[in-house]
Amino acid sequence: MSGIVTYSPAYTLVPTYECFNRCTYCNFRTEPGMSPWLELAEAERVLKSLQGRGVIEILILSGEVHPESKLRSLWFERIYNLCELALSLGFLPHTNVGPLSLAEMAKLKEVNVSMGLMLEQLTPELMKTVHRYAPSKVPELRLQHLEWAGELRIPFTTGLLLGIGETAADWQESLQALARLHQRWGHLQEVILQPYSPAAKNQSETGFLKKTGFLKLKDVVALARDILPPDITLQIPPNLIQQPAALLACLQAGARDLGGIGPIDEVNPDYPHPHLQQLTAFLKSAGWQLVPRLPVYPQYDKWLNLRLQAAVTCWRSAINNSAFAVKITNKSCPTNSLP
């Protein structure tokens, strides 16, 4: 047996696809005013339908409303209420909605077991190209968000987007910045290494893997494992790495997590997640054991408030049960009745 690989049984709720950024590669956003916001009643219907079906993490993933927009407070309130709803129904929320203020992050910490924001790349050169019309992709804003997450003791996931115009030297610079942040605060539980993959409608574009081959991705994983502290887990998305040999090469180079696996990848909807049973069997044949995990790593449990700690403790008990792989139920973890 080569070792253990983890994944998070997850489902994504999208408050809105509207976004004031216009990243040239984005497969997710719609223009402001073109996407109806997710209503709480609809979210409740969806979440109740997921109870007892093996879902633990609810990822709240949203397009961004401008910080100075009159809709910003309503947008933030909707995000908070979705987290509260998911928590009350027995799920563990994880929010990734773009750069937030310190006050917004502190508020969301009340109802999230972990949070996330992709650094993407640290180089300012991308502000002249793919991020030219994406004000919130300014590297200093993203670093500030990551810094505040450390100050607030929020278990955090970040990552690099690969193949959007950066260089190999840029990978090293970005990874070194993340290493320094973690050495200061100790809050980065995962770093995602995500190869850019164009949408079906943009197949004339060349994605990272088609442009460089999977051996280059393996090299990025190895570089990250060399630069980042060993307690940071490296995550790779299996739906974006469709060659079996590439996936195994990344695991051999140091990746140990496959991220959230659910019905759809909202950021890359043209790249469906692999079927869990088939993925488990494939990895087992190669000597790897695929096991579920929570969206917060055990070493960060004590960073959570008592309500979140109680919910996580309940899930840790369930996930360690041998019957978990057969059927997961969150009806036994009703966090709305917890202190």
Side-chain angles (χ1 to χ4, degrees), residues 18-161:
E18 298 177 7
C19 188
F20 76 94
N21 289 318
R22 289 178 174 82
C23 305
T24 61
Y25 51 79
C26 186
N27 303 328
F28 176 86
R29 76 175 294 275
T30 62
E31 288 290 333
M34 299 297 291
S35 169
W37 289 17
L38 178 64
E39 298 292 340
L40 292 178
E42 174 61 14
E44 183 175 7
R45 183 193 67 78
V46 171
L47 291 174
K48 285 184 175 179
S49 74
L50 295 173
Q51 288 181 314
R53 292 177 54 189
V55 174
I56 302 175
E57 174 184 349
I58 297 299
L59 168 60
I60 310 297
L61 181 71
S62 183
E64 299 178 38
V65 172
H66 196 284
E68 297 179 4
S69 169
K70 62 182 181 180
L71 296 176
R72 178 78 177 196
S73 61
L74 293 175
W75 171 79
F76 180 79
E77 182 181 17
R78 183 65 52 88
I79 291 167
Y80 182 93
N81 288 339
L82 287 170
C83 295
E84 173 63 43
L85 176 64
L87 189 58
S88 72
L89 292 174
F91 301 97
L92 300 181
H94 170 98
T95 293
N96 186 334
V97 294
L100 299 167
S101 70
L102 180 62
E104 288 170 335
M105 293 177 71
K107 183 68 175 176
L108 284 179
K109 182 184 177 181
E110 299 173 3
V111 290
N112 280 269
V113 299
S114 58
M115 294 175 62
L117 179 76
M118 294 288 282
L119 176 62
E120 296 200 2
Q121 293 291 338
L122 192 58
T123 173
E125 291 301 308
L126 297 180
M127 297 304 300
K128 303 173 184 177
T129 55
V130 294
H131 292 159
R132 183 178 180 183
Y133 302 108
S136 86
K137 296 299 176 75
V138 172
E140 289 79 8
L141 286 177
R142 304 215 145 215
L143 285 176
Q144 180 64 82
H145 184 110
L146 296 175
E147 190 83 38
W148 282 339
E151 292 180 22
L152 292 168
R153 291 168 62 85
I154 296 174
F156 211 78
T157 295
T158 187
L160 273 57
L161 184 57

Side-chain angles (χ1 to χ4, degrees), residues 222-301:
L223 178 67
R225 191 64 289 160
D226 182 58
I227 291 175
L228 295 174
D231 56 332
I232 296 178
T233 298
L234 297 182
Q235 180 186 127
I236 52 172
N239 59 315
L240 302 182
I241 307 172
Q242 298 180 331
Q243 307 97 325
L247 180 61
L248 295 179
C250 288
L251 296 179
Q252 292 292 346
R256 288 296 181 272
D257 186 74
L258 303 183
I261 295 181
I264 187 171
D265 181 341
E266 290 283 357
V267 175
N268 296 282
D270 293 333
Y271 297 84
H273 286 126
H275 191 280
L276 187 58
Q277 290 182 336
Q278 294 175 344
L279 183 61
T280 301
F282 165 69
L283 290 174
K284 184 177 181 180
S285 70
W288 296 92
Q289 181 184 4
L290 183 63
V291 300
R293 62 161 174 83
L294 305 190
V296 58
Y297 283 47
Q299 63 266 35
Y300 298 103
D301 287 359

